[in-house]
Amino acid sequence: MSSNDESMEETNGDSFDKVKRRFKDPSKKVAQTKEILSKQAVHTKEILSKHAVKIAKQAEEHERFINKVTHLMGVLGFGGFCFLLGARPQDIPYVYCLFYVIFVPLRWIYYRFKKWHYYLLDFCYYANTIFVVHLLLYPKNEKLFMVCFSFAEGPLAWALIIWRCSLVFNSLDKLVSVLIHLLPGLVFFTVRWWNPETFAAMHPEGTSHRVSWPYVEDKSYLFTWLFLVPLVAYTLWQALYFLIVNVLRRQRLLRDPEVMTSYRELSKKAQKANNLWWRLSGLLGDQNRMLMYILLQAVFTVATMALTVPIFLSYELHLIFQFLKISAAVWNGGSFLLEVMPKQVILKEKKKSEMQPAQDQQDESSTGMENTIKTSSSAEVSVS
């Protein structure tokens, strides 16, 4: 082989190496960028978690004062909401969006501290997020409105009744829980029947009586967007929830039994009470309780979504349903204040009284140790 051929091969080899390095360098940069971003994300998550725990601890230290402020703001807010409901019903959707944007992040902070943050993956938060998107970005989309109506007056509204949500003004946690389930229905009630723009659309010029919206005339269309499409959206949420909680975060939940999910809380309470839900969830054996829970929730969702069709068509029925929901929340709140809260106060005081002697004993032992150290040090000084 001649020297020219050898030099040609070396040149080709060098150029090939340069090309390989060019391809490798961007890939290395991409990998480094991904690593830096992942580290920053982990660091940011740790900082947010620490701040959440700190804020929640400070809130617990001033629990009584916060409860008083919450009661005051809750009563005033309820009165203001009732005034707006009659005076400016068209502003109710914006009040609801403001409530969601403020209180859901605050709830995340509190729940992160309590290890309850997986509750924010529940269907009610999934549905409320869709409500906010509809009301702020697509308020005139009739199909999306009907899907939201089905969520709000179906599973969310009936969960308020079935799971005994309590309207207690001095408990921020209970107040937010009630409003997350109650407010959406009231919002879509006002949009459906009381909003001036909707009302004008339902009263064509030259007529004095209320008429139906155009899409109500087609019953199959109504059934599709009030029942079938919402059911598909619910199934999508159920699949995502199962994937996140039971697959991706399974080991995390197994390592820490204090981390709560809806299923853990419901099964714990049902087992303790040995009620109907616990017996139904055990029909296929203890190993299949999660599956039975999903099936029971699916049956509940199908039944409540089917009921939204007659509610959507009747103003009188829809109005009665609002009174039923509010009455149930107020009744449960009264039961909580008169029956449950006194027991909780007694238990808290009992725990404090049990912890106090232990704390006094620790203080005495620490004082004794300090005296012993002082005595020994003074003895050493005198000997020297």
Side-chain angles (χ1 to χ4, degrees):
M1 184 181 290
S2 65
S3 59
N4 289 332
D5 293 336
E6 289 179 357
S7 61
M8 284 290 291
E9 285 182 4
E10 288 178 1
T11 304
N12 292 334
D14 291 341
S15 61
F16 182 70
D17 290 338
K18 287 180 181 178
V19 172
K20 283 177 68 178
R21 282 196 296 271
R22 284 178 183 176
F23 279 107
K24 282 184 178 179
D25 289 342
S27 63
K28 284 183 180 178
K29 289 181 181 178
V30 170
Q32 289 174 355
T33 305
K34 284 183 178 179
E35 187 178 355
I36 292 169
L37 290 174
S38 64
K39 286 181 179 179
Q40 288 179 348
V42 171
H43 182 62
T44 304
K45 183 179 178 182
E46 289 176 355
I47 292 173
L48 288 173
S49 298
K50 287 179 181 178
H51 282 295
V53 170
K54 186 178 179 181
I55 293 170
K57 281 183 178 178
Q58 291 176 350
E60 283 205 338
E61 290 173 1
H62 304 88
E63 184 180 3
R64 289 189 177 181
F65 176 74
I66 290 174
N67 286 344
K68 291 177 182 178
V69 173
T70 303
H71 181 80
L72 173 66
M73 299 304 294
V75 173
L76 293 178
F78 184 76
F81 181 83
C82 291
F83 171 77
L84 280 177
L85 197 62
R88 293 188 61 84
Q90 65 271 24
D91 292 338
I92 292 298
Y94 303 109
V95 173
Y96 159 75
C97 291
L98 183 65
F99 156 79
Y100 182 85
V101 170
I102 292 174
F103 286 99
V104 170
L106 289 176
R107 170 159 277 205
W108 180 85
I109 292 173
Y110 179 65
Y111 277 17
R112 187 73 182 79
F113 168 69
K114 296 291 246 180
K115 296 184 178 181
W116 296 348
H117 48 288
Y118 284 97
Y119 286 143
L120 271 71
L121 296 175
D122 287 353
F123 179 75
C124 55
Y125 296 97
Y126 169 80
N128 273 271
T129 304
I130 295 174
F131 299 158
V132 172
V133 171
H134 164 63
L135 293 170
L136 293 180
L137 301 180
Y138 308 102
K140 295 183 179 180
N141 190 311
E142 294 177 348
K143 294 176 181 177
L144 186 56
F145 167 78
M146 296 175 76
V147 172
C148 292
F149 185 96
S150 180
F151 285 166
E153 296 295 53
L156 262 67
W158 287 99
L160 184 76
I161 300 169
I162 299 297
W163 305 121
R164 296 176 59 82
C165 294
S166 305
L167 185 60
V168 180
F169 286 113
N170 66 333
S171 171
L172 184 61
D173 184 48
K174 289 191 174 297
L175 190 59
V176 173
S177 293
V178 168
L179 294 179
I180 280 175
H181 293 84
L182 180 65
L183 271 184
L186 290 171
V187 168
F188 292 111
F189 173 83
T190 58
V191 173
R192 175 76 173 99
W193 304 107
W194 288 355
N195 189 301
E197 293 182 4
T198 306
F199 195 76
M202 295 169 65
H203 285 77
E205 291 184 7
T207 62
S208 59
H209 61 281
R210 183 187 295 271
V211 297
S212 298
W213 285 0
Y215 53 72
V216 177
E217 299 298 327
D218 187 353
K219 295 299 188 292
S220 63
Y221 184 87
L222 186 70
F223 182 77
T224 298
W225 290 100
L226 278 177
F227 182 74
L228 294 180
V229 175
L231 203 57
V232 172
Y234 167 82
T235 306
L236 175 63
W237 164 81
Q238 185 68 81
L240 289 172
Y241 183 88
F242 186 84
L243 176 65
I244 294 170
V245 175
N246 296 93
V247 179
L248 299 178
R249 306 300 293 171
R250 178 179 174 80
Q251 295 302 320
R252 168 76 175 96
L253 293 169
L254 289 175
R255 283 197 307 269
D256 192 350
E258 291 184 0
V259 177
M260 295 302 295
T261 63
S262 296
Y263 171 71
R264 278 188 173 181
E265 184 191 14
L266 289 172
S267 60
K268 185 178 178 181
K269 289 182 177 179
Q271 183 180 14
K272 186 177 180 181
N274 193 25
N275 58 19
L276 178 63
W277 295 109
W278 179 253
R279 292 193 291 272
L280 286 174
S281 65
L283 289 176
L284 299 179
D286 288 339
Q287 70 277 11
N288 293 315
R289 285 191 183 275
M290 171 64 79
L291 176 62
M292 280 300 298
Y293 172 75
I294 293 173
L295 291 175
L296 289 171
Q297 193 173 16
V299 171
F300 167 79
T301 303
V302 170
T304 54
M305 282 183 178
L307 290 172
T308 60
V309 178
I311 289 174
F312 185 86
L313 292 171
S314 171
Y315 171 76
E316 290 77 13
L317 190 60
H318 201 179
L319 185 62
I320 292 170
F321 191 50
Q322 303 311 306
F323 281 113
L324 175 64
K325 291 186 297 180
I326 297 170
S327 299
V330 173
W331 179 271
N332 293 334
S335 299
F336 179 83
L337 288 171
L338 296 174
E339 298 172 7
V340 180
M341 187 172 280
K343 294 178 182 178
Q344 290 182 348
V345 172
I346 292 170
L347 285 174
K348 280 186 180 180
E349 294 299 328
K350 188 177 180 181
K351 284 183 180 179
K352 284 183 181 178
S353 62
E354 289 174 353
M355 290 173 65
Q356 192 63 39
Q359 186 66 36
D360 293 340
Q361 191 173 359
Q362 285 181 358
D363 295 339
E364 288 176 4
S365 61
S366 61
T367 305
M369 285 292 290
E370 289 175 1
N371 292 333
T372 304
I373 292 169
K374 287 179 182 178
T375 305
S376 61
S377 60
S378 60
E380 288 175 1
V381 171
S382 61
V383 169
S384 62

